[in-house]
Amino acid sequence: MQPEPKVNILLVDDKVENLLALEAILERLGENLVKATSGAEALRCLLHQDFAVILLDVQMPGMDGFETANLIRSRERSRQTPIIFLTAFSTSDQMLFKGYALGAVDYLLKPIDTNILLSKVTVFVELFKKTQAIKAQAIQLASVNAELRQSEERFRSLSTCSPVGIFEIDTTGQCKYTNPHYQAICGVSASESLTKIWLEFVHPEEQERAIAHWSSYIDQGSPEYLEDFRFLTAKGETRWVQVRSSRMLSAQGKLLGYVGTLEDITERKQAEEVRAQIIREQTARHEAEAANRMKDEFLAVLSHELRTPLTSMLGWSKILRSKKLDDKATAKALEAIERNATSQVQLIEDILDVSRIIRGQLQLNLCAVNLITVTEAALEAVRPLAEAKSIHINAILDSSVNSVCGDPARLQQVIWNLLTNAIKFTPKDGNVEVHLETVHLSNQENCELLPCGEITLSAGLAPIRFFTSSYVQIQVIDTGIGIEPDFLPKVFERFRQADSTTTRSHNGLGLGLAIVRHLVELHGGQILAESPGAGQGATFTVRFPLMPNNSTNSKSENPLYCTANRPLAGLKVLIVDDETDTRNFLAFMFEEYGAIVTAVASVDTALAILEQTKPDFLISDIGIPEQDSYNLIHKVRALPPEYGGSIPAIALTAYSREEDRLKILAAGFQQYLTKPVDPDNLIDVVTSVLKLPSSISVS
């Protein structure tokens, strides 16, 4: 720390001994003592130095003390310097008045009392030091203020000229500042921009998402926020805006608010859309070209597959007309004609099936089907083909497998196609295995692999859905030529063959597996193909949803039993929603599922209905005016069970935060769904909450 600078004290007296006496008294102050023996010398000292106080002798030859004081006061620099007159003569009133008129602050008579002198000089020294300190602070403050003005001007220029909009929001959600570019993006004036925050300019179709994301950002305390939204400006213009924000913290880490930017990215979004459109058009063109190539390849294969048996059939027919064959040759000719005719019939059936699939006209005749019987029938049908190539078929069929809901002829077609495919691509003396078993899934596997079965009856009809955690699995495993990894994803596509050239070693149109996949999916199942690679065989896995346990009785012989589509038949449902359209939609949907529906718009009406009709189930929107659904469920749960206090209830809400979920469940609802509500999901949840037996529902 640097020592404090010394203060100047001017001593003026024409006698040296007096100056020495003054110096001896004042040196204990530790300040800088400047001596002058005349008024002129004193004035010279004042030219370049400032003094805390001047001790001035009155009686001096030439220029006396009064005259010197007058000249000191005439100079701007020393006009306020304190002057203490020293005199050896008694001071008359006239002399006092003259001295004070010249700006003296005091008179001291010689001989001077040491303590008085020290006391008075000390006061002026301290006053001078404080005055100097104040001046220094004033200079420093002026410098700081100048820097602040420059900083403010710089900020104002940066904010005004910024290419992005800038905003500041405090912790209460109040907008505190916006720059001109922000106002231009939102289409509002400076004053209007402070009455709204940017969320209010987001397009109505995206506002719910924007509010949810912004609320999550604030609640989680994330360091940065970045989202793209469409804005609908006050002038009705739509533009794309990228919103960025970060938290504003004090030096102590306290949250002060949020500062952010709005950037108009409309041109960029339009360029991205143009680029995406170009990519889509290029992809569509490539797909169309590929489809044309596949069509040409398929027509070439079709021509080959039709002409080949026709050659044999026409040839043997001409030979038979000649009537020059013995009985053995005639039998051989008829056998060849029949075999090739059967082959053509199968080709035509495949083509017709594909045509029906494309037009959506492939229909199922549903009933409960025992897959063991179907599999055994398919095995018997392909056994001659296997024996002709000395292929061994090993079937492992679990006799405890339950029935599935399906079309027995189409299910047999699925298994027959997979078996003939395996036999076709397996060389002589190879092996084909068939496994039939029931697989039970955990909840997680059930969600990932087979959440439910969905059976499509025909085009234009709603599919039938099974709620199941188990399925029947059929696997056909061969030791054949295998499937190349790059072709494996395309194995179920129509008109696709790994080898479509005229030199290919296997016959067929490449339709069998495509038909199998479609039939499996119509039955609500899945099909997978696996192969380690060329020459290492292949495995085809088919999974079908099980029939509900209570559907395996004698009623299951009736096909209509499988297509039952009113799982909530007789269930009394109370719907509470203030929105008329939503209320009518929910009522219609539940009635379609067989429920008896009462739909009301208020909490009070719902409570009255609850006491009168005692419904079996409650569906309520959370956001109801006056009394929301929290009030409703609290009042319901306060009722005795016999008056509906334990009625199962589901809440519908537009809020999806974790705290909303916990609040809804804590209030007394068994489950909740976020809007927009998926009808299938709602029925699934109702079935789950009611713990109804597994049933079939219309999707």
Side-chain angles (χ1 to χ4, degrees), residues 163-165 181 184-185 238-242 262-268:
V164 296
H181 203 74
I185 288 175
T238 300
R239 59 181 65 186
W240 276 98
V241 177
Q242 184 174 81
L262 302 183
E263 182 178 359
D264 191 331
I265 57 171
T266 305
E267 291 184 2
R268 190 180 80 193

Side-chain angles (χ1 to χ4, degrees), residues 236-535:
E237 301 172 344
T238 300
R239 59 181 65 186
W240 276 98
V241 177
Q242 184 174 81
V243 183
R244 286 178 178 268
S245 180
S246 59
R247 291 151 53 87
M248 238 182 356
L249 303 176
S250 68
Q252 292 74 35
K254 181 182 178 182
L255 180 65
L256 302 177
Y258 304 88
V259 62
T261 61
L262 302 183
E263 182 178 359
D264 191 331
I265 57 171
T266 305
E267 291 184 2
R268 190 180 80 193
K269 284 290 186 179
Q270 290 172 345
E272 289 174 357
E273 179 57 32
V274 170
R275 185 164 60 252
Q277 181 63 28
I278 292 172
I279 292 172
R280 286 194 295 269
E281 291 173 356
Q282 290 175 343
T283 302
R285 184 166 61 252
H286 293 157
E287 289 176 351
E289 292 171 354
N292 283 333
R293 285 195 301 272
M294 283 194 297
K295 180 191 69 175
D296 294 341
E297 292 172 359
F298 172 73
L299 291 175
V301 171
L302 176 61
S303 176
H304 175 270
E305 292 296 317
L306 290 175
R307 288 176 183 275
T308 299
L310 282 174
T311 300
S312 176
M313 293 165 66
L314 290 173
W316 281 112
S317 297
K318 288 183 179 180
I319 293 174
L320 286 172
R321 278 180 171 275
S322 67
K323 300 181 181 179
K324 296 179 181 179
L325 299 178
D326 56 19
D327 291 344
K328 185 176 180 180
T330 300
K332 182 179 179 181
L334 292 173
E335 181 183 340
I337 292 172
E338 182 180 2
R339 183 172 61 253
N340 283 282
T342 301
S343 174
Q344 280 205 326
V345 168
Q346 185 58 50
L347 290 175
I348 293 169
E349 283 298 325
D350 284 349
I351 294 171
L352 291 176
D353 277 347
V354 169
S355 176
R356 295 187 192 103
I357 290 170
I358 293 173
R359 298 196 311 272
Q361 294 180 348
L362 188 63
Q363 298 185 5
L364 301 180
N365 297 313
L366 298 176
C367 66
V369 179
N370 186 331
L371 280 178
I372 295 178
T373 304
V374 170
T375 304
E376 288 175 342
L379 286 167
E380 284 302 314
V382 301
R383 204 170 296 280
L385 297 175
E387 291 173 351
K389 296 179 67 174
S390 300
I391 292 174
H392 176 67
I393 298 180
N394 180 30
I396 304 173
L397 310 180
D398 183 357
S399 60
S400 65
V401 169
N402 289 333
S403 298
V404 299
C405 185
D407 185 323
R410 291 299 185 181
L411 290 175
Q412 183 170 329
Q413 182 181 356
V414 167
I415 301 172
W416 181 87
N417 264 337
L418 292 177
L419 288 170
T420 55
N421 190 72
I423 293 169
K424 179 197 296 186
F425 292 104
T426 299
K428 293 186 67 174
D429 300 318
N431 293 294
V432 173
E433 291 186 9
V434 181
H435 296 267
L436 176 63
E437 60 184 335
T438 302
V439 177
H440 302 282
L441 298 176
S442 66
N443 288 338
Q444 182 176 0
E445 292 172 327
N446 188 35
C447 291
E448 292 175 353
L449 296 176
L450 196 66
C452 64
E454 187 174 86
I455 299 179
T456 302
L457 303 175
S458 64
L461 294 181
I464 295 173
R465 175 168 292 183
F466 283 102
F467 301 92
T468 178
S469 59
S470 303
Y471 57 81
V472 177
Q473 178 170 286
I474 306 167
Q475 284 188 309
V476 177
I477 307 166
D478 64 59
T479 58
I481 63 173
I483 306 170
E484 294 282 0
D486 57 344
F487 186 71
L488 198 57
K490 307 171 185 175
V491 73
F492 294 112
E493 294 181 13
R494 288 195 296 269
F495 313 132
R496 283 279 192 178
Q497 289 185 313
D499 180 8
S500 58
T501 65
T502 56
T503 60
R504 63 202 180 104
S505 56
H506 299 89
N507 297 328
L509 297 178
L511 299 177
L513 290 179
I515 294 171
V516 165
R517 181 184 67 172
H518 191 76
L519 290 175
V520 169
E521 290 176 351
L522 280 180
H523 283 82
Q526 295 176 329
I527 183 167
L528 305 171
E530 300 171 275
S531 176

Side-chain angles (χ1 to χ4, degrees), residues 39-50:
E41 188 179 354
L43 292 172
R44 284 195 296 271
C45 292
L46 287 166
L47 289 175
H48 307 293
Q49 295 180 5
D50 292 318

